Amino acid sequence: MKKKTEAARLTFPITGMSCASCAANIQRTLASLSGVKEAQVNFAANKAIITFEPTLIKPVDLVESIRQLGYDVGTDRVEFLIQGMHCAACQRKIEETLLQAEGVIKAVVNLASSRATVDYIANQTSPSRLKKIIKDLGYEATEISSQDMQAETSDQIFQKEYQSLKKRFLVGALLGLLIFLGSSKNLFPWIPSFLGNFFILWLLATPVQFIIGWPFYKGAWTAFRHRNADMNTLIALGTSAAYFFSVVVTLFPEVIQRGGLKAHVYFDTSALIIVLILLGRLLEARAKGRTSEAIKKLARLQPTTATVIRNGQEIQIPVEEVRAGDLLLVKPGERIPVDGTVKEGQSTVDESMITGESFPVKKKPGDEVIGATINQTGSFKFIATKVGQETMLAQIIKLVQEAQSSRAPIQRLADLISGYFVPIVISLAILTFIIWFDFGPEPSLTRALLNFVAVLIIACPCALGLATPTAIMVGTGRGAEAGILIKGGEILETAHRLQVIVFDKTGTITKGHPEVVAIIPKEPFSAEELLFYAASAERHSEHPLGEAILKKAAALNLSLVEPEAFQAKKGRGIKTQVDGQNVLVGNFKFMDENKIDTNSISQPAARLASEGKTPVLVAVNNQLAGLIAIADPLKETSPPALKKLKKMGLKLMMLTGDNSRTATAIARQVGLDGVEAELLPADKVAVIKKLQQQGLKVGMVGDGINDAPALAQADVGIALGSGTDIAIEASDITLIRDDLWGVAHALELSQKTIRTIKQNLFWAFFYNTIGIPIAAGVLYPFFGLLLNPILASAAMAFSSVSVVSNSLRLRRLKLKKEVN
């Protein structure tokens, strides 16, 4: 392993270089980076050899620099579940050691999920080598090879850890109770006198100290071997001090008595500290298991079998054997096994477990269905389109897992403190002992010992390490349950600081497809006759406005006829014959060209146009028959959702490629603060950059390919799940539902999660800031109060439980569709 203070060298395999100038470009870019001493890029060998200073630049920054140039670095990723981590110092130790290993690009260790994610260069290291590094640090690592294994193994490890802790605690609690009763004859005079014998107490305390408490010694020794100190060090030192002092008193009471002290043992202190810390870990393990409930729920949604139709026969097969293109049958009450497209039949499907939407969704031929959702009313057949790890459920699980393993910037302070915390605490404990032994009242040795132990025990930094990751795990899990996929802790933290949100129009605020919104006939024509002539004329038109007219006619069950002598005039309209009548369908310019009098309809047409609606005029036999207004209507949820965002104090803007009149009308209807229209994708990026240059944090909401650059440029990009894969890939938050309420809910979830993290960190810091001086005896000169080490261990144990429990409150967060 390389020392952090020495120059390091990495060899990167690079793909995508098509010429020597590509290699030169990469080499020039790498050489310009601060911390890079030398960079050599070999085009023929497709690799880069980089010598760099690890204290100034990290391997992951080198990789990102290459990727930003449009090339890729051949890296692999492995995930481990780790047993034995109990504090931020454990997490930091594993992470820093992995980062020092040859070939490792990035390592993220999550205390709350007991998970490590490592990106590495395959030809320089391997999962087995990384696993050995973790094992050498004193922890057990299990490699995770699939999402199913992730959920199953994670649950197994949590259960194994929980059961082991439970056994240790129960045995320790029984022995600890006997020790406590034997040590408290004044309180319990009915206790047999032999139980108070020092040798009996020693006999009972020894298995608690060295068998029940063995994991503390093992962890402390491993840390010592690697020149580290963690919470195991504090517990081992504190309990050992009480235990071995008691052993000396038991074996050589006269030595203590010659010093003027009463021969008193503290086996109850050492034993009960271990038992109470185990109780805290037991409760903590149980609570931590609940932080990953969202993943477990999602994993349990996947059905195990599917009914596939082959050669006309219905065959039950494991869902893993379903292939894209298979024809599957789903009966009422069954879960849909994989993603696909309905081919035959109709039904309603409960998609609430994926989208968070409580209302069933109607499905007909051509509609998409999502794997793991529940078919309700009818049977249907569908073609499998996405199977295995490509299904929406698998992608959701993957996103949530990655988010839960990520780290928010707010956690850096806790990480920094944890690196120095334990040595400082040991120093404070020693100082406490010296002061009490030299200057404290008699019995000074006893008081010095107890205060020394109390300082060590109360200062264990468990709560500090759990404060951030538990909240992120629960917050991202709650988001997934509501159809909000947040890609990481950094996104959660940034989202709550957004000041401006810009929206695309088409498909984001509006439905994204034109609809007939008004029919205004002129006598002697009725609305039905007007629509009949217009729809029959448009039967062979591919224009979006024509499709909207045809959809309206179909909805009203109108019987249409074939048009004759069809002529299309680009940008103006169509001329044809319908049922023997000459029919014109088009705009005002088209009607003027054909000498149709439109004065009687000009006023309502102007009003509709000012509202962002497109008027389509219809004439029959050179007589104006009326007007059909077509618009891309607002989604029903857009106005209330945008109103909610405004109440949250956000400035709302629209960026669209549509014409200015329509965009302004839509913006006015939903109460946006600003609108910029007729923009190209690059123009949207420029607007966002301009806002960011003003010091504003900007969020972007969109759904199309043309939104991808703007989504990537924004501080937080939010893509609607109905949008394209490119838009979703470029975004930081994906809303599974085609609903702007998800934007408000995502920001609300972000705010509540960050608030919870700040609460956790405050109490973790406050607890140690207040607890250590009290344990050291600062209250004794004023009130005569000292903190019993047993109470210190109880306080320390329950501080971790309180942090996890506070994070778990996020599971009950109600994301309502209402404006307060």
Side-chain angles (χ1 to χ4, degrees), residues 78 105 248 305 369 433 452 485 495 661 753 758:
V78 64
I105 301 300
V248 171
T305 61
V369 290
F433 182 89
F452 169 79
L485 305 181
R661 185 178 64 183
T753 302
K758 288 179 178 178

Side-chain angles (χ1 to χ4, degrees), residues 483-650:
I484 302 165
L485 305 181
I486 301 167
K487 290 187 178 178
E490 186 173 352
I491 306 306
L492 263 175
E493 185 170 339
T494 304
H496 94 285
R497 293 187 282 117
L498 291 180
Q499 298 160 287
V500 181
I501 301 185
V502 296
F503 297 85
D504 174 47
K505 180 183 77 69
T506 307
T508 301
I509 295 176
T510 65
K511 291 183 177 179
H513 49 82
E515 293 180 3
V516 172
V517 293
I519 301 175
I520 304 175
K522 297 297 294 181
E523 292 184 355
F525 297 95
S526 66
E528 188 173 292
E529 287 175 318
L530 175 62
L531 188 59
F532 164 76
Y533 283 115
S536 295
E538 294 280 6
R539 286 192 75 168
H540 297 303
S541 171
E542 296 180 354
H543 196 282
L545 298 182
E547 291 178 7
I549 292 171
L550 286 168
K551 282 181 183 178
K552 184 66 174 178
L556 297 176
N557 296 317
L558 293 183
S559 297
L560 306 181
V561 299
E562 281 291 322
E564 299 175 357
F566 182 90
Q567 298 177 39
K569 305 294 183 181
K570 188 174 181 180
R572 298 195 296 279
I574 58 174
K575 180 185 290 188
T576 186
Q577 288 186 351
V578 174
D579 204 17
Q581 310 297 314
N582 294 320
V583 176
L584 301 172
V585 181
N587 56 26
F588 275 93
K589 187 174 182 180
F590 188 54
M591 294 296 157
D592 290 342
E593 289 175 357
N594 288 277
K595 298 181 171 51
I596 305 297
D597 183 7
T598 58
N599 288 331
S600 60
I601 206 81
S602 58
Q603 190 171 348
R607 176 179 54 80
L608 290 167
S610 69
E611 296 172 357
K613 299 166 184 173
T614 302
V616 176
L617 283 66
V618 182
V620 179
N621 292 332
N622 297 320
Q623 181 182 355
L624 185 67
L627 174 152
I628 298 174
I630 298 173
D632 179 7
L634 291 170
K635 294 175 183 175
E636 292 81 0
T637 55
S638 291
L642 293 170
K643 186 177 179 182
K644 171 73 172 180
L645 287 168
K646 291 203 76 171
K647 279 188 169 288
M648 292 170 71
L650 293 154

Side-chain angles (χ1 to χ4, degrees), residues 82-99:
I82 301 176
Q83 288 176 270
M85 287 196 300
H86 295 291
C87 68
C90 302
Q91 169 190 301
R92 185 184 179 90
K93 176 170 60 180
I94 298 171
E95 193 169 281
E96 287 188 348
T97 306
L98 286 171
L99 284 170

